[in-house]
Short mmCIF file of all heavy atoms in Angstrom, two decimals:
data_model
loop_
_atom_site.label_atom_id
_atom_site.label_comp_id
_atom_site.label_asym_id
_atom_site.label_seq_id
_atom_site.Cartn_x
_atom_site.Cartn_y
_atom_site.Cartn_z
N ALA A 19 31.86 68.82 20.92
CA ALA A 19 31.29 69.93 20.17
C ALA A 19 30.61 70.93 21.09
O ALA A 19 30.69 72.14 20.89
CB ALA A 19 30.31 69.40 19.13
N ASN A 20 29.93 70.42 22.12
CA ASN A 20 29.25 71.31 23.07
C ASN A 20 30.25 72.17 23.83
O ASN A 20 29.98 73.35 24.11
CB ASN A 20 28.41 70.49 24.05
CG ASN A 20 27.19 69.88 23.39
OD1 ASN A 20 26.70 70.38 22.38
ND2 ASN A 20 26.69 68.81 23.97
N VAL A 21 31.40 71.60 24.21
CA VAL A 21 32.42 72.38 24.91
C VAL A 21 32.91 73.52 24.01
O VAL A 21 33.04 74.67 24.46
CB VAL A 21 33.60 71.49 25.34
CG1 VAL A 21 34.77 72.34 25.85
CG2 VAL A 21 33.16 70.51 26.43
N LYS A 22 33.18 73.22 22.76
CA LYS A 22 33.67 74.25 21.83
C LYS A 22 32.64 75.36 21.63
O LYS A 22 33.01 76.53 21.41
CB LYS A 22 34.02 73.60 20.50
CG LYS A 22 35.17 72.61 20.60
CD LYS A 22 35.31 71.78 19.33
CE LYS A 22 36.34 70.66 19.54
NZ LYS A 22 36.45 69.78 18.36
N ARG A 23 31.37 75.00 21.74
CA ARG A 23 30.32 75.99 21.55
C ARG A 23 30.02 76.78 22.82
O ARG A 23 29.82 78.00 22.77
CB ARG A 23 29.04 75.27 21.08
CG ARG A 23 27.82 76.14 20.89
CD ARG A 23 26.71 75.36 20.20
NE ARG A 23 26.38 74.16 20.91
CZ ARG A 23 25.43 74.08 21.84
NH1 ARG A 23 24.75 75.15 22.19
NH2 ARG A 23 25.16 72.92 22.43
N LEU A 24 29.99 76.09 23.96
CA LEU A 24 29.54 76.72 25.21
C LEU A 24 30.68 77.24 26.08
O LEU A 24 30.46 78.10 26.94
CB LEU A 24 28.71 75.72 26.01
CG LEU A 24 27.43 75.20 25.32
CD1 LEU A 24 26.78 74.10 26.14
CD2 LEU A 24 26.45 76.35 25.07
N ALA A 25 31.89 76.72 25.89
CA ALA A 25 33.05 77.19 26.64
C ALA A 25 34.22 77.35 25.67
O ALA A 25 35.20 76.60 25.70
CB ALA A 25 33.41 76.22 27.76
N PRO A 26 34.14 78.34 24.78
CA PRO A 26 35.10 78.46 23.68
C PRO A 26 36.54 78.70 24.11
O PRO A 26 37.45 78.51 23.30
CB PRO A 26 34.56 79.64 22.86
CG PRO A 26 33.69 80.40 23.80
CD PRO A 26 33.10 79.39 24.72
N GLN A 27 36.75 79.13 25.35
CA GLN A 27 38.12 79.37 25.82
C GLN A 27 38.67 78.17 26.60
O GLN A 27 39.74 78.26 27.19
CB GLN A 27 38.16 80.62 26.71
CG GLN A 27 37.69 81.89 26.00
CD GLN A 27 38.47 82.17 24.73
OE1 GLN A 27 39.69 82.03 24.71
NE2 GLN A 27 37.78 82.59 23.68
N ALA A 28 37.96 77.06 26.60
CA ALA A 28 38.46 75.87 27.28
C ALA A 28 39.64 75.28 26.52
O ALA A 28 39.71 75.35 25.29
CB ALA A 28 37.35 74.82 27.39
N ASP A 29 40.57 74.71 27.25
CA ASP A 29 41.71 74.01 26.66
C ASP A 29 41.31 72.53 26.58
O ASP A 29 41.46 71.77 27.55
CB ASP A 29 42.94 74.21 27.54
CG ASP A 29 44.20 73.59 26.94
OD1 ASP A 29 44.09 72.91 25.91
OD2 ASP A 29 45.28 73.79 27.52
N LEU A 30 40.80 72.15 25.43
CA LEU A 30 40.16 70.84 25.28
C LEU A 30 41.13 69.81 24.70
O LEU A 30 41.69 70.00 23.63
CB LEU A 30 38.94 70.96 24.37
CG LEU A 30 38.20 69.66 24.02
CD1 LEU A 30 37.60 69.03 25.28
CD2 LEU A 30 37.12 69.94 22.98
N THR A 31 41.29 68.71 25.43
CA THR A 31 42.03 67.55 24.93
C THR A 31 41.02 66.51 24.48
O THR A 31 40.04 66.24 25.18
CB THR A 31 42.93 66.96 26.02
OG1 THR A 31 43.94 67.92 26.36
CG2 THR A 31 43.60 65.67 25.55
N GLU A 32 41.25 65.90 23.31
CA GLU A 32 40.34 64.89 22.79
C GLU A 32 41.06 63.56 22.61
O GLU A 32 42.10 63.49 21.95
CB GLU A 32 39.76 65.34 21.45
CG GLU A 32 38.88 66.57 21.55
CD GLU A 32 38.32 66.99 20.20
OE1 GLU A 32 37.34 66.38 19.75
OE2 GLU A 32 38.90 67.93 19.62
N PHE A 33 40.50 62.52 23.22
CA PHE A 33 41.00 61.17 23.05
C PHE A 33 39.98 60.34 22.27
O PHE A 33 38.87 60.81 21.99
CB PHE A 33 41.24 60.51 24.42
CG PHE A 33 42.44 61.02 25.16
CD1 PHE A 33 42.30 61.88 26.24
CD2 PHE A 33 43.73 60.63 24.81
CE1 PHE A 33 43.40 62.35 26.95
CE2 PHE A 33 44.84 61.08 25.50
CZ PHE A 33 44.67 61.95 26.57
N ASP A 34 40.32 59.10 21.98
CA ASP A 34 39.38 58.21 21.30
C ASP A 34 38.37 57.58 22.26
O ASP A 34 37.29 57.18 21.85
CB ASP A 34 40.13 57.09 20.58
CG ASP A 34 40.75 57.57 19.26
OD1 ASP A 34 40.22 58.55 18.69
OD2 ASP A 34 41.74 56.98 18.82
N GLN A 35 38.74 57.46 23.55
CA GLN A 35 37.88 56.79 24.52
C GLN A 35 37.84 57.58 25.83
O GLN A 35 38.83 58.22 26.21
CB GLN A 35 38.36 55.37 24.79
CG GLN A 35 38.38 54.48 23.56
CD GLN A 35 38.65 53.03 23.89
OE1 GLN A 35 37.74 52.30 24.25
NE2 GLN A 35 39.89 52.62 23.78
N TYR A 36 36.70 57.51 26.51
CA TYR A 36 36.55 58.24 27.77
C TYR A 36 37.44 57.68 28.87
O TYR A 36 37.85 58.40 29.78
CB TYR A 36 35.09 58.24 28.22
CG TYR A 36 34.24 59.16 27.38
CD1 TYR A 36 33.26 58.66 26.54
CD2 TYR A 36 34.45 60.54 27.41
CE1 TYR A 36 32.50 59.51 25.75
CE2 TYR A 36 33.69 61.39 26.63
CZ TYR A 36 32.72 60.87 25.79
OH TYR A 36 31.97 61.71 25.01
N SER A 37 37.75 56.40 28.80
CA SER A 37 38.64 55.84 29.81
C SER A 37 40.02 56.52 29.77
O SER A 37 40.67 56.67 30.80
CB SER A 37 38.79 54.33 29.60
OG SER A 37 39.16 54.03 28.26
N ASP A 38 40.44 56.97 28.58
CA ASP A 38 41.70 57.71 28.47
C ASP A 38 41.58 59.09 29.13
O ASP A 38 42.52 59.58 29.74
CB ASP A 38 42.10 57.86 27.01
CG ASP A 38 42.45 56.53 26.35
OD1 ASP A 38 42.98 55.66 27.05
OD2 ASP A 38 42.18 56.38 25.15
N CYS A 39 40.40 59.71 28.98
CA CYS A 39 40.16 60.99 29.66
C CYS A 39 40.20 60.83 31.17
O CYS A 39 40.74 61.69 31.89
CB CYS A 39 38.80 61.56 29.25
SG CYS A 39 38.75 62.32 27.61
N VAL A 40 39.63 59.74 31.66
CA VAL A 40 39.62 59.50 33.11
C VAL A 40 41.04 59.36 33.63
O VAL A 40 41.40 59.90 34.69
CB VAL A 40 38.78 58.24 33.43
CG1 VAL A 40 38.90 57.89 34.92
CG2 VAL A 40 37.33 58.47 33.07
N GLN A 41 41.88 58.66 32.89
CA GLN A 41 43.28 58.51 33.30
C GLN A 41 44.00 59.85 33.28
O GLN A 41 44.81 60.15 34.17
CB GLN A 41 44.00 57.52 32.39
CG GLN A 41 45.42 57.20 32.83
CD GLN A 41 45.51 56.67 34.26
OE1 GLN A 41 44.72 55.81 34.66
NE2 GLN A 41 46.44 57.19 35.05
N ALA A 42 43.68 60.70 32.31
CA ALA A 42 44.30 62.03 32.24
C ALA A 42 43.87 62.89 33.42
O ALA A 42 44.67 63.68 33.95
CB ALA A 42 43.91 62.71 30.92
N LEU A 43 42.63 62.75 33.87
CA LEU A 43 42.17 63.46 35.06
C LEU A 43 42.86 62.91 36.30
O LEU A 43 43.30 63.67 37.18
CB LEU A 43 40.65 63.32 35.20
CG LEU A 43 40.01 63.92 36.46
CD1 LEU A 43 40.28 65.42 36.56
CD2 LEU A 43 38.50 63.64 36.49
N ARG A 44 43.03 61.62 36.35
CA ARG A 44 43.64 60.98 37.51
C ARG A 44 45.10 61.44 37.69
O ARG A 44 45.53 61.70 38.81
CB ARG A 44 43.58 59.46 37.35
CG ARG A 44 44.22 58.68 38.47
CD ARG A 44 43.98 57.18 38.29
NE ARG A 44 42.63 56.79 38.67
CZ ARG A 44 41.75 56.21 37.85
NH1 ARG A 44 42.09 55.95 36.58
NH2 ARG A 44 40.54 55.89 38.27
N ASP A 45 45.82 61.56 36.59
CA ASP A 45 47.24 61.92 36.74
C ASP A 45 47.51 63.42 36.56
O ASP A 45 48.66 63.84 36.53
CB ASP A 45 48.11 61.09 35.79
CG ASP A 45 47.81 61.31 34.31
OD1 ASP A 45 47.38 62.41 33.94
OD2 ASP A 45 48.00 60.36 33.52
N GLY A 46 46.46 64.22 36.44
CA GLY A 46 46.62 65.66 36.47
C GLY A 46 46.87 66.34 35.15
O GLY A 46 47.10 67.55 35.11
N ARG A 47 46.80 65.62 34.05
CA ARG A 47 46.99 66.26 32.75
C ARG A 47 45.83 67.18 32.39
O ARG A 47 45.98 68.14 31.62
CB ARG A 47 47.19 65.21 31.66
CG ARG A 47 48.57 64.58 31.65
CD ARG A 47 48.63 63.46 30.64
NE ARG A 47 47.91 62.27 31.09
CZ ARG A 47 47.42 61.34 30.28
NH1 ARG A 47 47.54 61.47 28.97
NH2 ARG A 47 46.79 60.28 30.78
N VAL A 48 44.63 66.86 32.89
CA VAL A 48 43.46 67.72 32.71
C VAL A 48 42.80 67.89 34.07
O VAL A 48 43.04 67.11 35.01
CB VAL A 48 42.45 67.15 31.69
CG1 VAL A 48 43.09 67.00 30.32
CG2 VAL A 48 41.88 65.82 32.17
N GLY A 49 41.94 68.91 34.17
CA GLY A 49 41.27 69.16 35.45
C GLY A 49 39.84 68.66 35.50
O GLY A 49 39.22 68.70 36.57
N SER A 50 39.32 68.17 34.35
CA SER A 50 37.95 67.68 34.33
C SER A 50 37.72 66.81 33.11
O SER A 50 38.50 66.83 32.15
CB SER A 50 36.95 68.84 34.33
OG SER A 50 37.08 69.61 33.14
N VAL A 51 36.65 66.03 33.17
CA VAL A 51 36.18 65.24 32.04
C VAL A 51 34.72 65.61 31.83
O VAL A 51 33.94 65.67 32.80
CB VAL A 51 36.30 63.72 32.29
CG1 VAL A 51 35.72 62.93 31.12
CG2 VAL A 51 37.75 63.33 32.55
N THR A 52 34.33 65.85 30.60
CA THR A 52 32.92 66.19 30.36
C THR A 52 32.33 65.30 29.28
O THR A 52 32.89 65.11 28.20
CB THR A 52 32.77 67.68 29.98
OG1 THR A 52 31.37 67.97 29.76
CG2 THR A 52 33.57 68.05 28.75
N THR A 53 31.20 64.71 29.62
CA THR A 53 30.40 63.89 28.70
C THR A 53 29.04 63.68 29.36
O THR A 53 28.69 64.37 30.31
CB THR A 53 31.10 62.56 28.38
OG1 THR A 53 30.30 61.86 27.40
CG2 THR A 53 31.28 61.68 29.59
N ASP A 54 28.30 62.69 28.89
CA ASP A 54 26.97 62.44 29.43
C ASP A 54 27.04 62.00 30.89
O ASP A 54 27.94 61.24 31.28
CB ASP A 54 26.27 61.35 28.62
CG ASP A 54 26.19 61.70 27.14
OD1 ASP A 54 26.36 62.88 26.80
OD2 ASP A 54 25.97 60.79 26.33
N ASN A 55 26.06 62.47 31.68
CA ASN A 55 26.06 62.14 33.11
C ASN A 55 25.99 60.64 33.36
O ASN A 55 26.58 60.13 34.32
CB ASN A 55 24.93 62.86 33.84
CG ASN A 55 23.57 62.67 33.17
OD1 ASN A 55 23.42 61.92 32.20
ND2 ASN A 55 22.57 63.37 33.68
N SER A 56 25.30 59.90 32.49
CA SER A 56 25.20 58.45 32.68
C SER A 56 26.56 57.79 32.55
O SER A 56 26.86 56.82 33.25
CB SER A 56 24.22 57.86 31.65
OG SER A 56 24.58 58.26 30.33
N ILE A 57 27.39 58.29 31.65
CA ILE A 57 28.75 57.75 31.49
C ILE A 57 29.62 58.12 32.68
O ILE A 57 30.33 57.28 33.25
CB ILE A 57 29.38 58.27 30.18
CG1 ILE A 57 28.57 57.80 28.97
CG2 ILE A 57 30.84 57.83 30.06
CD1 ILE A 57 29.00 58.42 27.65
N LEU A 58 29.55 59.39 33.08
CA LEU A 58 30.37 59.86 34.20
C LEU A 58 30.02 59.15 35.50
O LEU A 58 30.91 58.83 36.31
CB LEU A 58 30.20 61.37 34.37
CG LEU A 58 30.70 62.23 33.20
CD1 LEU A 58 30.39 63.69 33.46
CD2 LEU A 58 32.20 62.03 32.96
N LEU A 59 28.74 58.87 35.71
CA LEU A 59 28.33 58.19 36.95
C LEU A 59 28.96 56.81 37.05
O LEU A 59 29.28 56.35 38.15
CB LEU A 59 26.81 58.10 37.02
CG LEU A 59 26.09 59.35 37.51
CD1 LEU A 59 24.59 59.26 37.23
CD2 LEU A 59 26.34 59.56 39.00
N GLY A 60 29.14 56.16 35.91
CA GLY A 60 29.80 54.86 35.93
C GLY A 60 31.23 54.96 36.41
O GLY A 60 31.68 54.14 37.22
N PHE A 61 31.95 55.99 35.98
CA PHE A 61 33.33 56.17 36.42
C PHE A 61 33.40 56.59 37.89
O PHE A 61 34.29 56.16 38.62
CB PHE A 61 34.03 57.20 35.54
CG PHE A 61 34.25 56.75 34.13
CD1 PHE A 61 33.75 57.47 33.05
CD2 PHE A 61 34.95 55.58 33.86
CE1 PHE A 61 33.95 57.05 31.74
CE2 PHE A 61 35.16 55.15 32.56
CZ PHE A 61 34.65 55.89 31.50
#
């Protein structure tokens, strides 16, 4: 929701789990993953 509000021109992909987003970043389907810093630090 924050991405849609603060970066309205972003091309946002939504998955059910962040681990799926991480895999999409790894294989180049997306250029970034955004969520809480505590979650990202774990990855």
